[in-house]
Amino acid sequence: MSTTKRHRPRGLCADRVLATTALALLLAACAGPVTRPTEPPLPATAEPPPPAINLSGFPDAQRFAADGNYRTGWQDGVALCKKK
């Protein structure tokens, strides 16, 4: 009994890779951009959110939370330091 091996033509595997890649690109192009919900803008008179500054353990933390002028001074100082 003789067994004959079937050989695939060399181009068949490359054709399959090309077709799979083309299909993946086509599906990716149809997906469209991802949209994220946006928050509504704050009114001009709204207090800005507190900055990401760790004030724990400092007595100024209470003053920072309660005094708007003090908070604004801190935020202005932090902004100036970030520019450098």
Side-chain angles (χ1 to χ4, degrees), residues 1-62:
M1 182 156 109
S2 70
T3 57
T4 309
K5 292 184 179 180
R6 290 180 56 190
H7 294 285
R8 283 192 238 162
R10 279 201 140 161
L12 183 62
C13 189
D15 289 345
R16 185 174 279 172
V17 170
L18 182 63
T20 304
T21 303
L23 179 62
L25 289 173
L26 179 66
L27 291 175
C30 293
V34 176
T35 58
R36 293 182 175 86
T38 58
E39 295 180 16
L42 294 174
T45 58
E47 280 285 323
I53 298 173
N54 183 7
L55 294 174
S56 62
F58 293 96
D60 289 341
Q62 290 175 348

Side-chain angles (χ1 to χ4, degrees), residues 55 60-68 70-71:
L55 294 174
D60 289 341
Q62 290 175 348
R63 187 172 176 192
F64 185 88
D67 186 347
Y70 187 78
R71 182 173 42 252

